Amino acid sequence: MQTFFSIGVDALAYGMILFVISIGLSVTMGLMRVINLAHGAFAMIGGYIASYAARDLGLAYGLAIVIAVLGTIIIAVPLERFLYRRIYGAPELTQVLMTIGITFCVIGLANYVFGPTLKTIPLPTGLQGPVDIGFRTIAAHKLFAIGCGVVVALGLWYLIERTSFGVKLRASVDNTAMAAALGVRTKIVYAASFALAVGLAAFGGVIGAELLPVEPYYALRYMVTFLVVVSVGGAGSIPGALIACLLLGAIDTTGRYLVPEYGEFFFYLAVIAIVWVFPRGLMGRAK
Amino acid sequence: MSAGASVTAMPAENRGWQRDLIGIAAILVAAIAGYFLFPNNLALLTRMIAIMLLVLSLDLVTGYCGVATLGHAALFGSGAYAAGIAAAHFGITEPLTMIAIGAVGGALAGLISGVVILRGHGLAQLVLSIAIIHLFHEAANKASEYTGGSDGLSGISPDPILGVFEFDLWGRTAYVFGIVLLLLVFILLRILVRSPFGMLCRGIRQDPVRVSAMGASVKLTLIKMYVISGLVAGVGGAFNAVSTQVVGLDSLSFTNSAEALVMLVLGGVGSLYGALIGTIAFVWIEDLVSAANPFHWLTIVGALLIAVVLFAPKGLYGTAATLVERYRRGGK
């Protein structure tokens, strides 16, 4: 029972962090049809900035998160303008190469600037200890991560379903040319949702730093996981991504607890099985 | 690389064969030049040959069939482990037999990954290919009784080739053996890509719907190509096992797959010469840069990739071929 409970909490926290990071990828992939392998690199940049702000400059945790999100967006917007915009609508191979090139560059530069060691982001005292929830105790930062995931999911749902930006976004996803003809400035919608996606990635990178430690190969190590989430959930679908994250988080965490000697064998086996049965993702739309 | 390219790619039959003779002669000249120019660096050149076989095999599925995969090292590594396990655990140390076993191992891995990867399209395909390479990697790591796990598989000591040519300390025999293998594979692949089967594969890359409307089975053709590709990659892996006498887990790594793709794109997708040139350029630059500054190696690979995508989407060989073509037309 004790194991079962800890697996449950860990899986939920891990799944929520996966969700916060990869939902942006899912939205951009559904919108711009770009296979962005560099998404994890943006989460990593966020983690590095937060670590620098909180540990080296001694700023507060909340402030560090804000700086990390804004800083990552500032870095990412020129990339969108000069590199990504050239590969919208290009063949997959081109997109894969360009974005993996960006990932490699970011890894190399991070290694050069920050060194190959792990970077920690010091947690505020409120998030450090365990929290008693009556019958069990949970690490506070895991509870915080779960809360952030719920807030992000609700916020995104509200943004996409209830605001005028959401209407434009959905229109551009469904039919870019028609949306543009009706006066939606699709380029701005693209840039804004790209910035949103990157900001969420950075946010997830910071709050998830306890579970996915920040180091130069972060971008490559978890790139696969984020892509898997989008592929399993179906590009562009928020509920799909949420289900995929919780499912994959549960499989991965259970595997780690019960059969650690097999590494990620069962995780990838499950991925193949799910994608095999649902080639368009759990909630993907038919082409 | 649209319809126009494939029309110019097959002019009068005999002119094509002349070109092939020139190409084979060029490979031979480069091989001999390499032997005499870098006598102390034959190990690097031998490694290059093994990687060339991997990149050629990747070109078959990515260049000729249009399947984007980031898991092709699974085929290469399976060949390497098949040959290595045969030698280290079952005492099969005859090099040619080891190569054959490697080819069979690679073909099997090709069949498995072909069946799995071709199930999806676009993103799903890519994710499946990544999952396959990680699955193979974890499996090899777990089965450490046979594969040596993360320590690598050692204890491979191949016999002399044909009982005559012993593997020497300087790697001369391994190098010559590799060149012979490479030439054989290259000639066979030239014949393959020109065969009706090869043309069918190109047709599938350009328009799968139309090919299936013509009555050919798209999936079966692609799986066949995957098995052939596995044969080639398996030969490469087995050759690597024979020449270096160890098999490491890194031969089944994602990085290895990604690097093979980079090499292919650098040289030029959809051309066998492109695969060879890309490998030479990449391994050579890697050797130079990692000797000078290992920290920046990844940054440079990344920048190189971005530059190739932006400025030379056809790769080194493709761009050079276009320039030559333009020059010829201008001359006429």
Side-chain angles (χ1 to χ4, degrees), chain A residues 30-233:
Chain A
L31 175 63
M32 307 168 195
R33 315 244 183 281
V34 171
I35 299 181
N36 183 9
L37 300 189
H39 195 73
F42 293 122
M44 181 177 89
I45 294 174
Y48 270 116
I49 296 178
S51 164
Y52 182 75
R55 206 174 61 160
D56 299 328
L57 301 183
L59 298 176
Y61 189 65
L63 195 59
I65 292 182
V66 174
I67 292 176
V69 170
L70 291 181
T72 313
I73 292 177
I74 289 171
I75 292 174
V77 164
L79 286 179
E80 196 269 344
R81 177 69 192 79
F82 292 110
L83 294 179
Y84 281 89
R85 222 169 259 189
R86 290 166 181 257
I87 54 169
Y88 293 157
E92 289 150 31
L93 188 61
T94 314
Q95 299 179 344
V96 166
L97 291 168
M98 167 74 95
T99 53
I100 214 173
I102 295 173
T103 313
F104 281 169
C105 270
V106 171
I107 293 176
L109 291 175
N111 209 350
Y112 179 68
V113 177
F114 295 101
T117 50
L118 284 182
K119 292 282 176 230
T120 53
I121 304 170
L123 290 168
T125 42
L127 291 180
Q128 270 168 0
V131 173
D132 199 350
I133 54 163
F135 60 106
R136 284 278 187 281
T137 52
I138 304 179
H141 69 91
K142 284 180 187 159
L143 214 55
F144 177 65
I146 296 172
C148 287
V150 174
V151 170
V152 166
L154 289 177
L156 268 182
W157 172 80
Y158 183 79
L159 179 74
I160 290 179
E161 298 291 330
R162 289 282 184 271
T163 62
S164 74
F165 175 75
V167 173
K168 289 177 187 165
L169 180 66
R170 278 181 289 146
S172 312
V173 172
D174 284 344
N175 192 333
T176 312
M178 187 52 102
L182 290 173
V184 176
R185 297 166 91 182
T186 48
K187 273 195 178 157
I188 293 185
V189 173
Y190 275 25
S193 36
F194 189 82
L196 178 72
V198 167
L200 281 176
F203 180 59
V206 179
I207 61 165
E210 295 284 321
L211 290 171
L212 315 177
V214 177
E215 39 103 21
Y217 282 91
Y218 183 107
L220 209 55
R221 181 159 302 149
Y222 303 112
M223 170 182 97
V224 180
T225 318
F226 305 144
L227 277 182
V228 164
V229 167
V230 175
S231 168
V232 168

Side-chain angles (χ1 to χ4, degrees), chain B residues 1 266-269 271 274 277 312-324:
Chain B
M1 271 295 153
L266 182 64
V269 178
S271 135
I277 292 171
K314 286 180 184 170
L316 291 174
Y317 178 74
T319 309
T322 318
L323 287 179
V324 168

Side-chain angles (χ1 to χ4, degrees), chain A residues 29 86 92 94 96-98 100-101 104-105 107-108 111-112 217 223-224 231 261-262 264-265 268-269 276 279, chain B residues 115-116 119 122-124 126-128 130-131 134-135 138 142 254 265 295-296 298-299 302-303 305-306 309-310:
Chain A
M29 215 174 263
R86 290 166 181 257
E92 289 150 31
T94 314
V96 166
L97 291 168
M98 167 74 95
I100 214 173
F104 281 169
C105 270
I107 293 176
N111 209 350
Y112 179 68
Y217 282 91
M223 170 182 97
V224 180
S231 168
E261 69 274 19
Y262 279 92
E264 297 188 302
F265 185 82
Y268 289 109
L269 202 61
W276 181 277
Chain B
V115 169
V116 170
R119 169 80 185 163
L123 174 66
L126 208 61
V127 165
L128 283 173
I130 298 174
H134 281 285
L135 203 62
E138 294 292 337
K142 180 72 187 110
F254 173 78
V265 172
F295 248 171
H296 277 302
L298 263 185
T299 320
L305 260 179
I306 297 174
V309 172
L310 289 183

Side-chain angles (χ1 to χ4, degrees), chain B residues 148-194:
Chain B
S150 48
D151 297 337
L153 178 64
S154 52
I156 306 168
S157 44
D159 296 339
I161 301 166
L162 303 174
V164 184
F165 304 103
E166 249 183 85
F167 286 97
D168 51 320
L169 208 55
W170 299 274
R172 288 183 195 138
T173 317
Y175 180 68
V176 176
F177 183 43
I179 291 292
V180 172
L181 269 183
L182 181 69
L183 271 180
L184 267 178
V185 169
F186 185 79
I187 293 169
L188 288 177
L189 289 187
R190 262 335 266 184
I191 297 171
L192 176 83
V193 297
R194 268 150 202 261

Side-chain angles (χ1 to χ4, degrees), chain B residues 16-179:
Chain B
W17 288 113
Q18 267 176 11
R19 268 196 196 176
D20 282 353
L21 282 181
I22 297 173
I24 291 166
I27 296 176
L28 263 180
V29 169
I32 294 168
Y35 184 87
F36 285 108
L37 286 179
F38 308 103
N40 300 321
N41 239 346
L42 284 184
L44 179 73
L45 296 182
T46 312
R47 191 167 77 88
M48 220 185 246
I49 295 171
I51 301 173
M52 272 178 185
L53 288 167
L54 167 64
V55 178
L56 277 175
S57 133
L58 177 63
D59 199 13
L60 290 182
V61 292
T62 301
Y64 287 92
C65 299
V67 179
T69 161
L70 277 171
H72 213 68
L75 284 59
F76 180 82
S78 300
Y81 272 113
I85 290 172
H89 294 292
F90 298 99
I92 304 172
T93 46
E94 211 287 307
L96 293 179
T97 322
M98 281 172 71
I99 299 280
I101 292 173
V104 174
L108 268 178
L111 182 65
I112 297 172
S113 29
V115 169
V116 170
I117 289 172
L118 295 172
R119 169 80 185 163
H121 294 280
L123 174 66
Q125 194 170 62
L126 208 61
V127 165
L128 283 173
S129 75
I130 298 174
I132 277 278
I133 183 70
H134 281 285
L135 203 62
F136 273 65
H137 186 268
E138 294 292 337
N141 193 10
K142 180 72 187 110
S144 52
E145 212 165 289
Y146 283 100
T147 60
S150 48
D151 297 337
L153 178 64
S154 52
I156 306 168
S157 44
D159 296 339
I161 301 166
L162 303 174
V164 184
F165 304 103
E166 249 183 85
F167 286 97
D168 51 320
L169 208 55
W170 299 274
R172 288 183 195 138
T173 317
Y175 180 68
V176 176
F177 183 43
I179 291 292

